[in-house]
């Protein structure tokens, strides 16, 4: 067997320059410290790579080539049914290109050995995993991390995740998710960066840069995946996997830009999305996977489908049967089949029947082999499997520190009447900590927890206890439960997973509330740890209600009767309807799912050891009936102005009879313990030429007692366009630190490029005319000035 890998390695050595021409014997002993770990071959040695792959492909049978197009899930974690319990046999037969949901150096080494030492050509496997917001050290759930509005922080989170992932035997992550999300009923809003295309683009690129670093072949970087391509966030009615239908303009303006930006940033792979987009399932769309991705954008990595997405072309009604589905998806441009085994099952026949060309097979195989080369797997297939490195890297102290910092800087202070927060331990003797999330360590890390379950996350109770010490008494009880499945049988089947499931008529619920009231009565302040179970967002976790589930409202109604100050800390992966909480609680912090160090970070914020600086990346509606609601809507022909003194005239306007149009909390909203006062904004000119620059400036002073950070936001509006334009578009932001009492001038530069969009004829560019520019602390709290874009 060793002879086979030797053949491969020798050809590597021959083809590569001197630095690469390592002793093949050494390469067969990967445990040895002197084995080189970084080859940095991609940019410098493309010729060497090409020669190597040419030689390898010349030796491959059609069956082995098809094997490279297949991705199997390990038996460890799954996100759907697996059709393959026997993938080990397939690996030996050279019929598997990659495996995901397999981790830990020892486990993955065994699998790699099957491929490298027991298959005919010894081609190494690629190992993938859903490392979405941390590998073992968990960072805030992606939507929360986005609330930091801090690209450096987001990049750092991905960098640390990559280090841990690569040390744990995995070199490919299925992130970032760049779907634009405007419907909070859709559980997957928790996995992305929210509703805005600009914020999403900046943060998706930051994530790619963090995962991949400067060099994919470095031992602490991993290949990233741009997903889900494309339109998945538009799933109708917020129901997962549902149909999407979107105009060409909207598709290009809102959905495509983050994906294009990730191609430009060198993202290694793309994942197709499950949805039917305008009549063609995305996983079978030649338009998306070839015309756009390859021909227009020049993407050079490979495309993996989502989980059994090719098989799903049949129920979509787009393919007659599995074989037809394989033909459509492959010819459309889906290089690798995730789990479905349809390429394995039908590709040979399809080639023999002339329905798939050998050229297409070779192109896809080459893309996958190139990725393996770029990751250094041909140089040393075992380079990611070093137990000592895993031990030293996973949960390293500096990773935990960074995670706590990210959590603090992601939390959003939604409301803070009478400066209820921060809590002052000099004046408080008794604190009641109540709610289903009060003492629930594992929930801190949210969904897509990768290996985070073993990270021993710290919840609110433990975090607060440590921070308070003996300065006050803390009494904790859960008081309420989650209870959310409409279908009792389904709930039953998930009972082990949804540990907090409760029967709504269970008498224990009333007893829990009574216990909470008892504790609260003795306290000076009630801190409520409320929200959703982490299983209520993420994949296949849609809701029709956005209010807090279970009997949490009943609990809060009883506690409210005590007349004590009430602080809500909300944990959730989506914008909820917090209208009742807004009316009834004194202060509200949104903590998302804050990660491994969630509890200490919550304590930092509640006690004022850190100053909240997060801003909402998604609009929070007043009720589910407003959905979809997002800040950069169109104006309509009958815009409604709630402050018009002549309300009668406002009747036949775009409005609701039973709700204001405005959201509960707007995109970009987020308070601070500081008081940021904005001076009058100024423009360097009231005109901007096509090749010129316009400077927008505003002086901001922190009038508060606390140092803090403010996310200053820049928006524009094109007043008239060849197609109608949104009332506001984010064009820039800056997270700026202010000491107490400090004043700073914050400036942005606008050019005509910033005003470009897909015009009526679908060409990209700006249009001369009238514009407004806005600067402010939230999308609904801005100053405005006008300028003209001139030829
Ligand atoms: C299905 C999800 O849609 C996708 O995001 C994920 O990466 C794969 N399963 C693999 O777990």
């Amino acid at each position: 067997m060793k002879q086979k890998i030797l053949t491969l390695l020798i050809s590597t050595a021959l083809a590569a320059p001197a630095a690469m021409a390592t002793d093949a014997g050494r390469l067969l002993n990967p445990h040895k410290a002197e084995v080189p770990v970084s080859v940095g071959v991609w940019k410098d040695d493309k010729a060497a790579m090409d020669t190597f792959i040419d030689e390898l492909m010349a030796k491959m049978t059609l069956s082995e080539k098809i094997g490279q197009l297949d991705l199997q899930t390990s038996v460890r974690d799954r996100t759907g049914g697996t059709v393959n319990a026997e993938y080990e046999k397939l690996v030996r037969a050279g019929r598997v290109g990659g495996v995901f949901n397999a981790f830990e150096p020892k486990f993955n080494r065994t699998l790699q050995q099957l491929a490298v030492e027991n298959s005919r050509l010894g081609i190494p496997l690629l190992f993938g995993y859903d490392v979405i917001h941390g590998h073992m050290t968990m960072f805030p759930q992606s939507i929360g991390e986005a609330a930091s509005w801090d690209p450096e922080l987001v990049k750092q989170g991905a960098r640390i995740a990559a280090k841990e992932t690569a040390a744990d035997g995995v070199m490919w992550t299925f992130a970032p998710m760049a779907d634009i999300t405007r419907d909070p009923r859709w559980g997957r809003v928790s996995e992305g960066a929210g509703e805005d295309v600009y914020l999403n683009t900046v943060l998706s690129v930051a994530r790619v840069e963090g995962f991949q670093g400067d060099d994919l072949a470095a031992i602490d970087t991993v290949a990233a995946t741009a997903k889900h391509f494309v339109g998945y966030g538009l799933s109708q009615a917020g129901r997962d996997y549902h149909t999407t239908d979107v105009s060409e303009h909207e598709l290009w303006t809102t959905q495509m830009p983050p994906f294009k930006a990730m191609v430009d940033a060198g993202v290694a792979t793309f994942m197709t999305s499950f949805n039917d987009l305008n009549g063609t399932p995305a996983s079978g769309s030649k338009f998306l996977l070839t015309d756009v991705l390859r021909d227009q954008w020049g993407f050079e990595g490979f495309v993996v489908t989502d989980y059994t997405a090719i098989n799903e072309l049949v129920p979509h009604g787009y393919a007659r049967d599995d074989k037809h589905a394989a033909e459509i998806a492959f010819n459309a441009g889906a290089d690798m089949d995730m789990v479905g085994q349809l390429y394995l099952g039908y590709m040979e026949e399809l080639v023999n029947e002339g329905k798939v060309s050998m050229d297409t097979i070779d192109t896809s195989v080459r893309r996958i082999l190139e990725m393996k080369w770029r990751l250094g797997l041909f140089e040393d297939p075992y380079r990611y499997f070093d137990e000592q490195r895993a031990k030293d890297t996973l949960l390293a102290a500096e990773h935990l520190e960074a995670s706590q910092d990210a959590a603090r800087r992601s939390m959003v202070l939604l409301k803070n009447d009478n400066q209820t927060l921060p809590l002052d331990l000099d004046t408080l003797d008794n604190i009641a900590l109540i709610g289903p999330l009060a003492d629930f360590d594992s929930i801190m890390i949210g969904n897509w927890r990768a290996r985070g379950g073993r990270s021993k996350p710290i919840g609110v109770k433990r975090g607060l206890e440590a921070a308070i010490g003996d300065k006050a008494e803390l009494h904790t009880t859960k008081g309420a439960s989650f209870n959310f499945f409409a279908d009792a049988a389904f709930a039953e089947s998930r009972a082990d997973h949804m540990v907090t499931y409760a029967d709504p008529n269970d008498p224990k619920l009333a007893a829990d509330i009574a216990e909470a009231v008892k504790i609260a009565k003795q306290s000076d302040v009630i801190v409520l740890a409320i929200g959703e179970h982490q299983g209520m967002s993420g994949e296949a976790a849609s809701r029709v209600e956005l209010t807090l589930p279970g009997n949490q409202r009943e609990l809060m109604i009883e506690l409210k009767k005590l007349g004590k100050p009430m602080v809500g800390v909300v944990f959730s992966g989506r914008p909820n309807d917090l209208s009742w909480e807004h009316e009834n609680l004194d202060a509200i912090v949104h903590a998302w799912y804050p990660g491994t160090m969630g509890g200490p970070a919550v304590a930092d914020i509640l006690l004022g050891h850190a100053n909240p600086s997060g801003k909402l990346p998604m609009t929070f509606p007043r009720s589910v009936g407003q959905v979809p609601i997002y800040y950069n809507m169109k104006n309509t022909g009958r815009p409604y102005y709630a402050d018009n003194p002549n309300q009668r005239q406002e009747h036949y306007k775009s409005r609701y009879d039973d709700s204001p149009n405005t959201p509960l909390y707007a995109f970009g909203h987020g308070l601070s313990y500081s008081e940021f006062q904005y001076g009058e904004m100024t423009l360097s000119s009231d005109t901007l030429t096509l090749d010129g620059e316009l400077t927008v400036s505003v002086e901001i002073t922190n009038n508060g007692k606390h140092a803090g950070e403010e996310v200053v936001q820049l928006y524009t509006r094109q007043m008239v366009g060849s197609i109608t334009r949104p009332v506001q578009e984010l064009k820039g932001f800056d997270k700026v630190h202010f000491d107490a009492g400090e004043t700073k001038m914050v400036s942005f530069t606008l050019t005509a490029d910033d005003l470009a969009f897909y015009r009526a004829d679908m060409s990209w560019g700006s249009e001369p005319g009238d514009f407004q520019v806005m600067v402010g602390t939230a999308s609904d709290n801005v100053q405005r000035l006008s300028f003209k874009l001139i030829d």
Side-chain angles (χ1 to χ4, degrees), residues 79 100-101 130 174 188 191 227-228 232 271 274 306-307 338 448 539:
T79 58
F100 69 111
N101 292 334
D130 285 282
F174 302 142
R188 305 202 75 170
E191 299 173 46
K227 74 181 188 185
H228 306 85
Y232 189 26
M271 187 186 290
F274 286 124
D306 205 339
Y307 205 107
M338 186 191 285
W448 288 120
E539 188 179 346

Side-chain angles (χ1 to χ4, degrees), residues 764-779:
W764 174 258
S766 55
E767 290 177 339
D770 290 325
F771 285 80
Q772 284 182 346
V773 57
M774 295 153 242
V775 168
T777 182
S779 64

Side-chain angles (χ1 to χ4, degrees), residues 150-152 154-156 158-159 175-178 193 197-213 224-226 256-267:
D150 187 337
E152 258 318 301
V154 168
K155 183 170 164 180
Q156 179 64 4
R159 188 83 281 285
M177 180 185 106
V197 63
Y198 178 81
L199 184 61
N200 212 306
T201 301
V202 171
L203 298 186
S204 298
V205 168
R207 287 192 166 121
V208 169
E209 290 173 351
F211 285 130
Q212 297 193 171
T225 306
M256 294 289 206
F259 289 95
K260 166 73 166 66
M262 285 191 280
V263 171
D264 294 343
V267 70

